[in-house]
Amino acid sequence: DTEVTQTPKHLVMGMTNKKSLKCEQHMGHRAMYWYKQKAKKPPELMFVYSYEKLSINESVPSRFSPECPNSSLLNLHLHALQPEDSALYLCASSQGADRGLRNIQYFGAGTRLSVL
Amino acid sequence: DQQVKQNSPSLSVQEGRISILNCDYTNSMFDYFLWYKKYPAEGPTFLISISSIKDKNEDGRFTVFLNKSAKHLSLHIVPSQPGDSAVYFCAASARGAQKLVFGQGTRLTINP
């Protein structure tokens, strides 16, 4: 089973709203990732959690706030977003490359976010 | 600076023939390479990978070839099927690195 589950599948929010994206995996993976993908572009890394600690923040604006409550769950809290933040947000997980393991990342289906 | 390049934005192949997708990289520290397939409005699906200690890895209809001296890899799909129509991303990583570096993707269309 290589399933990463993301909810919701679609989200429409106004620029003053607060919302959260959720991601869950039960593969025992210790690394989890948030990506942003725009049309016709590759996934763009936002955050990496390794063993429930934030290890990489790719200079993402503070209106995006990640949270890793436990090793199976990853959230992305959204506040005061801009229309240009509209994109497909992808969650991924892997065994964790920093322990000498190969970094095969398994992706969820994504949340299609529209900011009005 | 694009460290992973897929120079063909699109490729059209007849059903039953071979599809060959290419990828070039510039970073000598990369030692693990992956191919992902992506349908519209879905997340990328892992297809196949190869370590730099090998020059070929095969999984059913999919074969990945690695030429380290040329810093080039390719994905062969044979025979091509209509369900193979998707965007294919090449990705690379260095040992111990948590980041994958993606190419820009190639849209493959399989024609009946």
Side-chain angles (χ1 to χ4, degrees), chain A residues 27-57:
Chain A
M27 296 178 277
H29 288 171
R30 304 315 301 263
M32 296 186 77
Y33 309 78
W34 279 116
Y35 286 85
K36 173 182 177 179
Q37 187 172 26
K38 291 276 201 178
K40 300 185 179 181
K41 296 287 188 181
E44 178 184 338
L45 183 66
M46 300 174 71
F47 303 103
V48 181
Y49 273 83
S50 180
Y51 290 81
E52 300 164 47
K53 293 185 179 178
L54 183 64
S55 57
I56 296 178
N57 177 342

Side-chain angles (χ1 to χ4, degrees), chain A residues 2-3 24-25 32-33 38 43 47 56 68 70-71 77 85 87 91 97 106-107 113:
Chain A
T2 56
E3 188 169 337
E24 189 169 6
Q25 57 89 13
M32 296 186 77
Y33 309 78
K38 291 276 201 178
F47 303 103
I56 296 178
C68 189
N70 60 56
S71 60
H77 303 297
D85 296 322
C91 174
Y106 296 92
F107 286 81
L113 174 67

Side-chain angles (χ1 to χ4, degrees), chain A residues 31 33 35 37 40-43 45 48-50 55-56 58 88 90 97-98 100 102-110 112, chain B residues 31-32 34 36 38 40-46 49 51-53 89 93-100 102-105 107:
Chain A
Y33 309 78
Y35 286 85
Q37 187 172 26
K40 300 185 179 181
K41 296 287 188 181
L45 183 66
V48 181
Y49 273 83
S50 180
S55 57
I56 296 178
E58 292 285 277
L88 181 68
L90 294 163
D98 55 344
R102 284 309 186 180
N103 193 11
I104 299 177
Q105 295 183 19
Y106 296 92
F107 286 81
R112 173 69 60 187
Chain B
D31 70 343
Y32 196 67
L34 308 91
Y36 286 87
K38 187 178 184 305
E42 292 185 11
T45 301
F46 169 69
S49 61
S51 165
S52 60
I53 62 173
F89 289 101
S93 71
R95 181 168 289 279
Q98 293 177 312
K99 292 174 66 170
L100 288 182
F102 285 89
Q104 294 295 305
R107 179 174 300 278

